[in-house]
Amino acid sequence: MTVKTRPRIDIQSVFRLTELADYIIPFTIRAICDLGVADHLAEGPRTVEELAEATGTHAPSLHRALRALACKGIFTETEQGVFDLTPLAQPLRSDHPVSLRAAYPLLVPDIEAWAAFDHSIRTGQASFDGVHGRGYWEYMADHPDDSARFDASQQAATRLELRTSLPAYDWAALRTLVDVGGGNGAFLGGILAKIPSLRGTVFDLPHVVAGAHERLADYGVSERCEVVGGSFFEEIPAGAGGYLLKRILYGWDDEHALALLRAVRKAMRQDSRLLILEPVVRTGNEFDVGKLYDLLLLCMVGGGARSQEHIEGLLAEAGLRLERTVPTLMFPILEIVPS
Ligand SMILES: C[S@@+](CC[C@H](N)C(=O)[O-])C[C@H]1O[C@@H](n2cnc3c(N)ncnc32)[C@H](O)[C@@H]1O
């Protein structure tokens, strides 16, 4: 009689997979951000009861949320029922220089799209469109609350990108810069505030640029910046020294990306520069945040992050050429000229 041996199970990998597949921590981080808990720890450790009172929450439940995050290094329980910030929790404060508090909006329409993400993998189409019966930007135009939260999340990303891309590039040399799809002007405002010789134009859909005047005034740059509403598939303000596409191109399939690049090319002078700032996907198995953004885009808008070769192919079709790639601590800046 032969004795069957059971195959050896790598139980550590099973545990590791459980941890990786968990959505509890991401949702808990988001809830804690919404409640503003980290702000109340800015002055030092506090008891759960104090935090619950300050945030209008149920103390035992808040305790459960914080102890779960503490086991991931986000917050620390310094003694029973007393919590403090850790380096991972610091950016959850609203007043942190690169605050991520608003970076994780719990947008119900996004969550519904993620719940149907298998549709995207099956079809290559945005599951958002399938679930909501229309595209992401159309949906946002009709939902001002979601749109405002989305814009705030973009602003959080922008603060980080300002830090990493401002020192990496000679923005002053452009003299005039159009931020194409520039949202509410948070990035351009930040650049203009640091470079007094530069003038700019924020260009985005009319309902989005409506918020730009206030943002530019906050930066004190209103006199040096125009605000123009319109569609970048139609007409982009012409004749500037620089055109920026920051996290725009990857939101569109090749057909739309090409139409957009052609519209930018049409607006450019022969000596203008186009700067593309977004993740560029690398080959290989190493961690690459571009591969994560790629999925976000697939789920929400049906686009995706591209490799450098892919982008260069589109540029060539649009009458443009990659001049050089400028590395930053985050995404590279692709500097592009008319071919
Ligand atoms: C991913 S967001 C990036 C915003 C900004 N560039 C940034 O990096 O924070 C994409 C932007 O494209 C804008 N957009 C979408 N369709 C557009 C169109 N047809 N014309 C102009 N802007 C558009 C959206 O309103 C949104 O602000």
Side-chain angles (χ1 to χ4, degrees), residues 154-155 157-163 165-166 169 171-172 174-204 209 211-228 237 240-247 275 277:
Q154 297 301 297
Q155 238 172 285
T158 291
R159 272 192 293 272
L160 199 54
E161 287 157 354
L162 269 175
R163 288 240 157 184
S165 47
L166 247 169
Y169 189 78
W171 300 91
L174 301 171
R175 305 176 73 89
T176 49
L177 175 62
V178 181
D179 193 353
V180 180
N184 63 9
F187 188 79
L188 188 57
I191 297 224
L192 293 178
K194 289 278 184 218
I195 302 171
S197 62
L198 191 66
R199 301 187 68 84
T201 302
V202 187
F203 179 76
D204 206 298
V209 285
H213 292 285
E214 202 183 325
R215 184 71 46 230
L216 296 169
D218 290 345
Y219 278 112
V221 298
S222 303
E223 303 80 61
R224 283 187 287 127
C225 196
E226 273 184 69
V227 175
V228 180
Y243 288 83
L244 175 66
L245 288 174
K246 182 167 83 64
R247 292 192 290 106
L275 307 177
L277 210 171

Side-chain angles (χ1 to χ4, degrees), residues 137 154 158 181-183 204-205 208 230-233 246-248 252:
W137 307 119
Q154 297 301 297
T158 291
D204 206 298
L205 294 170
V208 178
S231 169
F232 48 45
F233 294 116
K246 182 167 83 64
R247 292 192 290 106
I248 297 292
W252 300 95

